[in-house]
Coordinates of all heavy atoms in Angstrom, one line a residue:
M13 N 0.8 -1.2 0.0 CA 0.0 0.0 0.0 C 0.8 1.3 0.0 O 0.4 2.3 -0.5 CB -1.0 0.0 1.2 CG -2.0 -1.1 1.1 SD -3.0 -0.9 -0.4 CE -4.1 -2.2 -0.1
S14 N 2.1 1.2 0.5 CA 2.9 2.4 0.5 C 3.7 2.6 -0.7 O 4.3 3.6 -0.9 CB 3.8 2.4 1.8 OG 4.7 1.3 1.7
F15 N 3.7 1.6 -1.6 CA 4.5 1.7 -2.9 C 3.7 2.6 -3.8 O 2.5 2.7 -3.8 CB 4.6 0.3 -3.5 CG 5.5 -0.7 -2.8 CD1 5.5 -2.0 -3.2 CD2 6.4 -0.3 -1.8 CE1 6.3 -2.9 -2.5 CE2 7.2 -1.1 -1.2 CZ 7.2 -2.5 -1.5
V16 N 4.5 3.3 -4.6 CA 3.9 4.2 -5.6 C 3.6 3.4 -6.9 O 4.5 2.7 -7.4 CB 4.8 5.4 -5.9 CG1 4.3 6.2 -7.1 CG2 5.0 6.2 -4.7
C17 N 2.4 3.5 -7.4 CA 2.0 2.9 -8.6 C 2.6 3.8 -9.8 O 2.2 5.0 -9.9 CB 0.5 2.9 -8.7 SG -0.1 2.5 -10.4
P18 N 3.5 3.2 -10.6 CA 4.2 4.1 -11.6 C 3.2 4.6 -12.7 O 3.4 5.7 -13.2 CB 5.2 3.1 -12.2 CG 4.8 1.7 -11.8 CD 4.0 1.9 -10.6
E19 N 2.1 3.9 -13.0 CA 1.2 4.4 -14.0 C 0.4 5.6 -13.6 O 0.1 6.4 -14.4 CB 0.2 3.2 -14.4 CG 0.8 2.1 -15.1 CD -0.2 1.0 -15.4 OE1 -1.1 1.4 -16.2 OE2 -0.1 -0.1 -14.9
L20 N 0.1 5.7 -12.3 CA -0.8 6.8 -11.9 C 0.0 7.8 -11.0 O -0.5 8.8 -10.6 CB -2.0 6.2 -11.1 CG -2.9 5.3 -11.9 CD1 -4.0 4.7 -11.0 CD2 -3.5 6.1 -13.1
D21 N 1.2 7.4 -10.6 CA 2.0 8.3 -9.7 C 1.4 8.6 -8.4 O 1.4 9.7 -7.9 CB 2.4 9.6 -10.4 CG 3.7 10.2 -9.8 OD1 4.5 9.5 -9.2 OD2 3.8 11.4 -9.9
V22 N 0.7 7.6 -7.8 CA 0.1 7.7 -6.5 C 0.4 6.4 -5.8 O 0.7 5.4 -6.5 CB -1.4 8.0 -6.5 CG1 -1.7 9.3 -7.1 CG2 -2.2 6.9 -7.2
T23 N 0.2 6.3 -4.5 CA 0.4 5.1 -3.8 C -0.7 4.1 -4.0 O -1.8 4.6 -4.4 CB 0.6 5.3 -2.3 OG1 -0.7 5.8 -1.8 CG2 1.7 6.2 -1.9
Y24 N -0.5 2.9 -3.8 CA -1.6 1.9 -4.0 C -2.7 2.1 -2.9 O -3.9 1.9 -3.2 CB -1.1 0.5 -3.9 CG -0.4 0.0 -5.2 CD1 1.0 0.1 -5.3 CD2 -1.2 -0.4 -6.2 CE1 1.6 -0.3 -6.5 CE2 -0.6 -0.8 -7.4 CZ 0.8 -0.7 -7.6 OH 1.3 -1.1 -8.8
D25 N -2.3 2.7 -1.8 CA -3.3 3.1 -0.8 C -4.3 4.1 -1.4 O -5.5 4.0 -1.3 CB -2.7 3.6 0.5 CG -3.7 4.0 1.5 OD1 -4.3 3.0 2.1 OD2 -3.8 5.2 1.8
E26 N -3.8 5.1 -2.1 CA -4.6 6.1 -2.8 C -5.4 5.5 -3.9 O -6.6 5.9 -4.1 CB -3.7 7.2 -3.3 CG -3.1 8.0 -2.2 CD -2.0 9.0 -2.6 OE1 -1.2 8.6 -3.5 OE2 -2.1 10.1 -2.2
V27 N -4.8 4.5 -4.6 CA -5.5 3.8 -5.7 C -6.8 3.1 -5.1 O -7.9 3.3 -5.6 CB -4.6 2.8 -6.4 CG1 -5.5 1.9 -7.3 CG2 -3.5 3.5 -7.2
Y28 N -6.6 2.3 -4.1 CA -7.7 1.6 -3.5 C -8.7 2.5 -2.8 O -9.9 2.3 -2.9 CB -7.2 0.6 -2.5 CG -6.7 -0.7 -3.1 CD1 -5.4 -1.0 -3.2 CD2 -7.6 -1.6 -3.7 CE1 -4.9 -2.1 -3.8 CE2 -7.1 -2.8 -4.3 CZ -5.8 -3.0 -4.4 OH -5.4 -4.2 -5.0
T29 N -8.3 3.6 -2.3 CA -9.2 4.6 -1.6 C -10.1 5.2 -2.7 O -11.3 5.3 -2.5 CB -8.4 5.7 -0.9 OG1 -7.6 5.1 0.1 CG2 -9.3 6.7 -0.3
E30 N -9.5 5.7 -3.8 CA -10.3 6.3 -4.9 C -11.2 5.3 -5.5 O -12.4 5.6 -5.8 CB -9.4 7.0 -5.9 CG -10.1 7.8 -6.9 CD -9.2 8.5 -7.9 OE1 -8.0 8.7 -7.6 OE2 -9.7 8.9 -9.0
L31 N -10.7 4.1 -5.8 CA -11.5 3.1 -6.4 C -12.7 2.7 -5.5 O -13.8 2.6 -6.0 CB -10.7 1.8 -6.7 CG -11.4 0.7 -7.4 CD1 -11.9 1.2 -8.8 CD2 -10.4 -0.5 -7.6
A32 N -12.4 2.6 -4.2 CA -13.5 2.3 -3.3 C -14.6 3.4 -3.3 O -15.8 3.0 -3.3 CB -13.0 2.1 -1.9
Q33 N -14.2 4.6 -3.3 CA -15.2 5.7 -3.4 C -16.0 5.7 -4.7 O -17.2 5.8 -4.7 CB -14.5 7.1 -3.2 CG -13.9 7.3 -1.9 CD -13.1 8.6 -1.8 OE1 -12.7 9.1 -2.8 NE2 -12.8 9.0 -0.6
A34 N -15.3 5.4 -5.8 CA -15.9 5.4 -7.1 C -17.0 4.2 -7.2 O -18.0 4.4 -7.8 CB -14.9 5.3 -8.2
L35 N -16.6 3.1 -6.6 CA -17.5 1.9 -6.7 C -18.4 1.8 -5.5 O -19.2 0.8 -5.3 CB -16.7 0.7 -6.8 CG -15.8 0.6 -8.1 CD1 -14.9 -0.6 -8.1 CD2 -16.6 0.7 -9.3
E36 N -18.4 2.8 -4.6 CA -19.2 2.8 -3.4 C -19.0 1.5 -2.5 O -19.9 0.9 -2.1 CB -20.7 3.0 -3.7 CG -20.9 4.3 -4.4 CD -22.4 4.6 -4.7 OE1 -23.2 3.6 -4.6 OE2 -22.7 5.7 -5.2
L37 N -17.7 1.2 -2.3 CA -17.3 0.1 -1.5 C -16.4 0.6 -0.3 O -16.0 1.8 -0.4 CB -16.4 -0.9 -2.3 CG -16.9 -1.5 -3.6 CD1 -15.8 -2.2 -4.3 CD2 -18.0 -2.5 -3.2
T38 N -16.2 -0.2 0.6 CA -15.2 0.2 1.7 C -13.8 -0.1 1.1 O -13.7 -0.9 0.2 CB -15.4 -0.6 3.0 OG1 -15.1 -2.0 2.7 CG2 -16.8 -0.5 3.5
F39 N -12.8 0.5 1.8 CA -11.5 0.3 1.4 C -11.1 -1.2 1.4 O -10.5 -1.8 0.5 CB -10.5 1.0 2.3 CG -9.1 0.9 2.0 CD1 -8.4 1.7 1.1 CD2 -8.3 -0.1 2.6 CE1 -7.1 1.6 0.8 CE2 -7.0 -0.3 2.3 CZ -6.4 0.5 1.4
E40 N -11.6 -1.9 2.5 CA -11.3 -3.3 2.7 C -11.9 -4.2 1.6 O -11.3 -5.1 1.1 CB -11.8 -3.8 4.1 CG -11.0 -3.2 5.2 CD -11.4 -1.7 5.6 OE1 -12.5 -1.3 5.2 OE2 -10.5 -1.1 6.2
E41 N -13.2 -3.8 1.2 CA -13.8 -4.6 0.1 C -13.1 -4.4 -1.2 O -12.9 -5.4 -1.9 CB -15.3 -4.1 0.0 CG -16.2 -4.5 1.1 CD -17.6 -3.8 1.0 OE1 -17.6 -2.7 0.5 OE2 -18.5 -4.5 1.4
A42 N -12.7 -3.2 -1.5 CA -11.9 -3.0 -2.7 C -10.6 -3.7 -2.7 O -10.2 -4.3 -3.7 CB -11.7 -1.5 -2.9
S43 N -9.9 -3.6 -1.6 CA -8.6 -4.3 -1.6 C -8.7 -5.8 -1.6 O -7.8 -6.5 -2.1 CB -7.8 -3.8 -0.4 OG -8.4 -4.2 0.8
K44 N -9.8 -6.4 -1.1 CA -10.0 -7.8 -1.2 C -10.5 -8.2 -2.6 O -10.1 -9.3 -3.1 CB -11.0 -8.3 -0.2 CG -10.4 -8.3 1.2 CD -11.4 -8.7 2.2 CE -10.9 -8.6 3.7 NZ -11.9 -9.0 4.6
R45 N -11.3 -7.4 -3.2 CA -11.9 -7.8 -4.5 C -11.0 -7.7 -5.7 O -11.1 -8.4 -6.6 CB -13.1 -6.9 -4.7 CG -13.9 -7.3 -6.0 CD -15.2 -6.5 -6.2 NE -16.1 -6.7 -5.1 CZ -17.3 -6.0 -5.1 NH1 -17.6 -5.2 -6.1 NH2 -18.1 -6.2 -4.1
F46 N -10.1 -6.7 -5.7 CA -9.2 -6.4 -6.8 C -7.8 -6.6 -6.5 O -7.3 -6.0 -5.5 CB -9.5 -5.0 -7.3 CG -10.9 -4.7 -7.6 CD1 -11.6 -3.8 -6.8 CD2 -11.5 -5.2 -8.7 CE1 -13.0 -3.6 -7.1 CE2 -12.8 -5.0 -9.0 CZ -13.6 -4.1 -8.2
S47 N -7.1 -7.2 -7.4 CA -5.6 -7.3 -7.3 C -5.0 -5.9 -7.6 O -5.7 -5.1 -8.2 CB -5.1 -8.3 -8.3 OG -5.2 -7.9 -9.6
P48 N -3.8 -5.6 -7.2 CA -3.2 -4.3 -7.5 C -3.3 -3.9 -9.0 O -3.7 -2.8 -9.3 CB -1.8 -4.4 -7.0 CG -1.9 -5.4 -5.9 CD -2.9 -6.4 -6.4
D49 N -3.0 -4.9 -9.9 CA -3.0 -4.5 -11.3 C -4.4 -4.3 -11.8 O -4.7 -3.4 -12.6 CB -2.4 -5.7 -12.1 CG -0.9 -5.7 -12.0 OD1 -0.3 -4.7 -11.6 OD2 -0.3 -6.8 -12.3
D50 N -5.4 -5.1 -11.3 CA -6.8 -4.9 -11.7 C -7.3 -3.6 -11.1 O -8.1 -2.9 -11.8 CB -7.6 -6.1 -11.2 CG -9.0 -6.1 -11.8 OD1 -9.1 -5.6 -13.0 OD2 -9.9 -6.7 -11.2
A51 N -6.9 -3.3 -9.9 CA -7.4 -2.0 -9.3 C -6.9 -0.8 -10.1 O -7.7 0.1 -10.3 CB -6.9 -1.9 -7.8
V52 N -5.7 -0.8 -10.5 CA -5.1 0.3 -11.4 C -5.9 0.4 -12.7 O -6.3 1.5 -13.1 CB -3.6 0.1 -11.6 CG1 -3.1 1.0 -12.7 CG2 -2.8 0.2 -10.3

């Protein structure tokens, strides 16, 4: 989660946070449902 995603230049924590908000999920649900590559 603290690593920076090179494609989006944000941390994976930020990727999962934004994705969770967009899909109306909790952070935990998003991180369990999607692999890092799929989340990006």
Side-chain angles (χ1 to χ4, degrees):
M13 294 302 182
S14 64
F15 291 165
V16 173
C17 168
E19 290 181 64
L20 300 174
D21 200 29
V22 296
T23 64
Y24 281 98
D25 183 67
E26 294 169 313
V27 168
Y28 280 107
T29 300
E30 187 176 340
L31 183 62
Q33 290 173 347
L35 300 176
E36 298 178 354
L37 300 171
T38 65
F39 179 90
E40 291 75 22
E41 290 172 327
S43 61
K44 286 180 184 177
R45 186 179 295 181
F46 304 108
S47 69
D49 289 340
D50 194 26
V52 169

